[in-house]
Amino acid sequence: MIRIADNLQITNKRVSEAVERMDLAPIQELVRLMEKNGAQAIDINSGPLNREPARKMKFLVEAVQEVTNLPLVLDTANPIAIEAGLSVCKNKRIINGVSLEPKKIETILPLANKFDAEIIGYLLLPDGHVPQSLDERLSLAIQLYQIYVDHGLDPKKLIIDPVLVPVMWQNGIVQAKDILDVIRQLPDVLGYPVQTVIGLSNLTAGQGYQKEKLLLERTYLSMLASAGLSMVLMNIFHTETVAVAKACNTIMNQTVFSWETGLI
Amino acid sequence: MIRIADNLQITNKRVSEAVERMDLAPIQELVRLMEKNGAQAIDINSGPLNREPARKMKFLVEAVQEVTNLPLVLDTANPIAIEAGLSVCKNKRIINGVSLEPKKIETILPLANKFDAEIIGYLLLPDGHVPQSLDERLSLAIQLYQIYVDHGLDPKKLIIDPVLVPVMWQNGIVQAKDILDVIRQLPDVLGYPVQTVIGLSNLTAGQGYQKEKLLLERTYLSMLASAGLSMVLMNIFHTETVAVAKACNTIMNQTVFSWETGLI
C-alpha cells in the first residue's frame, strides 16, 4: 500500500500565497518534509485554478519535482491545469481524476493516453452522486473499466477510488464496510489485479473529536490494507497513521520479518 | 468482536501466591480492574495445576464470579480442573480448549455437553504441531466440526482458534495472512456463522521492541476484525489495543455512528 501525501493543498494559506507569488521555497520545504515523514507519492491539490491554471500548475509541478523523484498526483478538475502540469512533469504521474461524468471523460481521460499517465477513476454516478450499495459500486467500476478500454488505455493504469463517505452520514458505517468488499471483490469482478485508492480523511470529515477520528482512521486503514488497497491518500504528518500504514505493509507484503529491518 | 482478557494467569506471581494462600482479595482486585478496562470475558489461565487441581480451580472460579457476571474461560489442559471449575461456575462458561489430540477429545470434549459450555477448538495437528497451510487449517476445522457433531454437540458452541504463530518464525507473516483467510472462509466452508477466537499476543511472542510489537498487534487486530473474528484473547491493560478493538466494533457492527455515543 503506497502512501500518497495529501498535504500540498491550495486551501493551505502558505501554499496559496506561494503560488500567487510564484515562490518556490515554501512549496519545496513542505514537499521535503512530506517525503521525510514517509510520503511515497505527492498529491498536488491545486483546486480549480480559475485564474491562470496552466501557469500555476506548471509552477507547482516544477517546484515539486525539483526536490523529489516521487510520483506526482495532479489533483484538480481543471483539464487545462492537468494538461499544462503533465506537459512539464518528469516524474511518474497520476491524474486525479475522472468519473462517469461525461465532461470529465471527454476532457480529462484523453490526457492519460497523451501523457502516459495513470488515472484515478471515482465510483460516482454520472451526475456526481455517491452510489448507495455494493452492487451499484461494482457496476460503476465495470462501466469505468469499459470506457477506459474503449479509449484504448491499459486498464492497469486505471486506479479505482470507491469514494469513502463520512461515518457521520446516516449510513456512513454501512458504506465504509461495503467499500472494504468493493476493494476485495474488484480483482475478481474485473479479472485482473485492479489498483485501488482511498482518501482516508473522508472517513471522519465533519464534526468530531480529533483523537477518536484518528483512531477510527487508523483502524479502518488496517482493514483497507487487508482488503488489498493499493494506495492511500492521507495526511502524512499523522505520524501514528503512517506507522500503522507501515505495519500494514509488513503484514501484507509477506516477507520474512525481523524487528531489526523494521516496518516499511 | 468480544474482548477476552488474558491477564488472570498463574504465571503472574501475585495470582499464584493468592491461589496458594486461597486469598480472594488479589484475584478479585485484578478481575475488577480487568472489567473496568474493557474486558467482556475473563480467561482463567490456571496452568496445569498438578497439585490439587479441583480445589484450586474451584477457588479461582468462585473468586472471580463473586465480583463479575462476565463469561469465564477455563484455560487449562487439566480435565479434572476444568470439570471442577465448571461444576461451580454460574456465569456463562467457555472451555479452553480441545484440539484433535485424542486424549483431549476423550477427556475434555464431553465436559462441554455435561456442563452446557462453549469450547475452543485449536486448529492443531493431532500430534500438537502447527499446520503450515491454509488448506491444512481448513481441513482441521472440518475434522473438529465433525467430531463435535459426532459427540452430539451444537456446532454453534464450537469456537475455532486458528492458532496464530509468532511473526518471528520463518514463515510467521505468511501464516498470519493465511489466518485472516481462514477466519474469512470458515463460515462458507462449514456452512454456518462459525465463532472464532485468536490469542493476539502470540503474534509478537519472542524478542522484539515493545512499541513495535504493540503497533503490529493493533494493526493485525483490525485486520482480524474485518475478517470477521468473533473473540480476541488479549492483554486488557494495553489501553490503545482496547481502543482499537472498540473502533473495530464501531466499523463492523454497522450501527448509525455518532461521536457522542462513542466507541464500544
Side-chain angles (χ1 to χ4, degrees), chain B residues 114-128:
Chain B
K114 185 171 175 186
F115 293 98
D116 190 29
E118 300 197 0
I119 188 163
I120 293 172
Y122 291 94
L123 300 189
L124 289 170
L125 298 168
D127 64 6

Side-chain angles (χ1 to χ4, degrees), chain B residues 6 22 62 113 143 162 181 194 208 226 228 242 260:
Chain B
D6 72 5
M22 298 276 161
E62 286 173 336
N113 222 353
Q143 292 173 59
D181 290 331
V194 183
S226 100
V242 172
E260 281 62 37

Side-chain angles (χ1 to χ4, degrees), chain B residues 61-72:
Chain B
V61 167
E62 286 173 336
V64 175
Q65 71 188 1
E66 258 181 33
V67 293
T68 184
N69 293 318
L70 294 177
L72 305 187

Side-chain angles (χ1 to χ4, degrees), chain A residues 90-118:
Chain A
K90 296 171 195 156
N91 296 13
K92 185 180 162 184
R93 74 235 38 184
I94 299 172
I95 300 169
N96 189 6
V98 288
S99 64
L100 290 172
E101 195 182 321
K103 198 180 150 201
K104 290 196 172 169
I105 292 171
E106 194 185 314
T107 60
I108 297 179
L109 190 58
L111 299 174
N113 221 354
K114 185 170 176 188
F115 293 97
D116 189 29
E118 300 198 358

Side-chain angles (χ1 to χ4, degrees), chain B residues 14-16 18 26 36 46 68 79 85 94 97 135 145 150 155 178 188 190 201 211-212 226 230 242 248 260:
Chain B
R14 283 195 73 195
V15 173
S16 64
K36 187 164 170 251
S46 69
T68 184
I94 299 172
D135 286 349
Y145 168 83
D150 290 347
D178 274 356
D188 279 339
L190 296 182
S201 66
K211 193 181 156 199
E212 280 79 4
S226 100
S230 321
V242 172
C248 287
E260 281 62 37

Side-chain angles (χ1 to χ4, degrees), chain A residues 20-91:
Chain A
E20 284 306 321
R21 293 198 313 269
M22 299 276 160
D23 181 2
L24 294 168
I27 308 283
Q28 294 183 336
E29 186 189 341
L30 177 62
V31 170
R32 283 197 191 95
L33 204 56
M34 288 158 83
E35 187 163 3
K36 186 165 170 249
N37 277 266
Q40 298 173 307
I42 307 285
D43 186 81
I44 301 178
N45 186 338
S46 69
L49 293 178
N50 294 322
R51 293 182 298 108
E52 302 186 286
R55 178 163 168 259
K56 286 177 179 168
M57 185 57 102
K58 278 187 185 173
F59 163 75
L60 277 164
V61 167
E62 287 173 336
V64 175
Q65 70 188 2
E66 259 181 34
V67 293
T68 184
N69 292 317
L70 293 178
L72 305 188
V73 182
L74 276 61
D75 188 355
T76 172
N78 186 333
I80 296 168
I82 295 175
E83 179 152 18
L86 291 174
S87 73
V88 297
C89 186
K90 296 171 195 156
N91 296 13

